[in-house]
Amino acid sequence: MSSQITTAFVQQYSNNVQMLSQQKGSLLRGTVDTESIVGKNAFFDQVGVATAVKRTTRHGDTPQIDTPHSRRRVSLVDYEYADLIDNQDKIRTLIDPTSSYALAAAYALGRAQDDEIIAAASGTAFTGETGSTSTALPGAQAITEGGTDGLTIAKLREAKEKFDSNSVDPSITRYIVVGPKQISDLLGTTQVTSSDFNTVKALANGEVNTFLGFNFIVSNRLSIASSKRLCLAYAMDGIKMAIGQDLMTRIDERSDKGYSTQIYVCQSIGATRMEEEKVVTIQAHEA
């Protein structure tokens, strides 16, 4: 056979586009209270804890009780994503990546929703009549780590105790958002013979998703500072997500760009912590 036969070798290319590993959209949107709004800012009114007065005399005056009111403000932020595909690109690549680009854009904006929820859970909430008062998450709602302990059973129990001590209705679904390392931490802090270990092992294997009353969600978008991952535990109605414009996708020709195909995706969203007593942050050391 000719030594020049290699020039006739055929190279075959796939006509499919494979999406690389990534979080496919939002993991947290379904875990918080979501409401559609109109306007730049939205205000959510709340009624606080009232106290009944004991009646001590016959025919006494009717007591006047001032029911406590409060308010939270959510400000919308806009996200958008756009990319162009020239017609010549489709010819040269032998594929049409339009649908894959649109999917990648939708995934990106879904992850942005998670970022807004995470930031709202532990960040500053804006309260008062005009939403001009800054309210931070109290230190009593934070489980800190001064050493090198990761996520432990003791920390989960402490978080559960905080919710229960705050009289958070147990019928409201509770969630905890952790990183992959924190699941490994739990497996390493329990004994093989304990019932806790068996539950955590099933959690790590995906057989169950609950432990100590919390629904677990594994996310890689939690912040980390000074080797401390900030995990979040919250009751479902403890965080509000406002939707001004839900995910909108447009695929159009751009006459000003040589009739290239433009993939455009946008959304207007915002989030706030609705009640400090329904959110707990947990620091976990992560080398």
Side-chain angles (χ1 to χ4, degrees):
M1 184 175 290
S2 171
S3 62
Q4 298 180 17
I5 188 63
T6 55
T7 60
F9 284 179
V10 174
Q11 299 185 63
Q12 180 173 338
Y13 299 92
S14 173
N15 59 0
N16 295 318
V17 179
Q18 179 180 351
M19 304 296 292
L20 295 179
S21 297
Q22 58 186 291
Q23 179 184 314
K24 296 182 177 180
S26 174
L27 297 175
L28 306 182
R29 177 169 174 171
T31 70
V32 300
D33 192 14
T34 304
E35 186 170 333
S36 297
I37 67 167
V38 176
K40 179 180 178 180
N41 297 316
F43 294 89
F44 300 97
D45 292 316
Q46 302 165 301
V47 174
V49 179
T51 303
V53 176
K54 183 184 292 185
R55 182 172 182 171
T56 58
T57 61
R58 288 175 55 80
H59 309 302
D61 292 338
T62 301
Q64 176 63 45
I65 307 297
D66 290 328
T67 303
H69 278 255
S70 57
R71 174 177 285 177
R72 300 274 163 146
R73 188 193 79 196
V74 178
S75 298
L76 294 181
V77 292
D78 302 321
Y79 287 89
E80 59 182 358
Y81 181 110
D83 202 353
L84 292 170
I85 304 173
D86 289 340
N87 290 325
Q88 293 85 347
D89 294 339
K90 298 177 185 179
I91 296 171
R92 291 187 177 97
T93 60
L94 301 178
I95 60 173
D96 184 353
T98 302
S99 60
S100 298
Y101 279 27
L103 195 59
Y107 288 165
L109 268 67
R111 293 190 293 269
Q113 295 177 14
D114 283 5
D115 292 341
E116 289 293 321
I117 292 170
I118 290 170
S122 59
T124 300
F126 295 95
T127 62
E129 182 179 354
T130 61
S132 57
T133 302
S134 298
T135 302
L137 187 69
Q141 295 301 109
I143 300 172
T144 58
E145 174 54 54
T148 58
D149 285 341
L151 184 62
T152 62
I153 301 296
K155 290 179 180 179
L156 293 178
R157 287 174 176 156
E158 184 178 353
K160 172 178 167 53
E161 183 180 347
K162 288 183 181 296
F163 281 107
D164 295 340
S165 297
N166 291 334
S167 298
V168 176
D169 189 341
S171 68
I172 301 173
T173 307
R174 299 176 183 180
Y175 295 93
I176 183 167
V177 187
V178 302
K181 178 66 166 59
Q182 283 68 63
I183 298 296
S184 298
D185 290 342
L186 293 177
L187 284 170
T189 57
T190 54
Q191 298 297 320
V192 176
T193 56
S194 73
S195 60
D196 282 345
F197 179 87
N198 294 328
T199 303
V200 172
K201 185 177 179 181
L203 178 69
N205 290 336
E207 297 169 7
V208 298
N209 68 341
T210 61
F211 185 53
L212 287 178
F214 293 107
N215 289 270
F216 274 70
I217 299 173
V218 179
S219 171
N220 288 309
R221 307 195 73 79
L222 295 170
S223 64
I224 184 168
S226 301
S227 299
K228 302 291 193 297
R229 180 78 68 179
L230 192 66
C231 303
L232 301 172
Y234 54 88
M236 183 173 188
D237 62 352
I239 301 175
K240 174 81 74 174
M241 184 174 185
I243 306 292
Q245 168 66 62
D246 212 341
L247 203 66
M248 182 190 74
T249 303
R250 293 287 185 270
I251 300 176
D252 300 302
E253 280 188 341
R254 288 280 302 272
S255 60
D256 61 327
K257 297 291 184 181
Y259 290 93
S260 296
T261 300
Q262 177 177 271
I263 294 90
Y264 178 79
V265 185
C266 68
Q267 65 183 3
S268 294
I269 58 173
T272 186
R273 185 178 58 253
M274 292 296 289
E275 190 174 345
E276 282 63 53
E277 290 77 7
K278 291 182 177 179
V279 177
V280 174
T281 61
I282 306 172
Q283 281 187 339
H285 181 82
E286 184 172 325

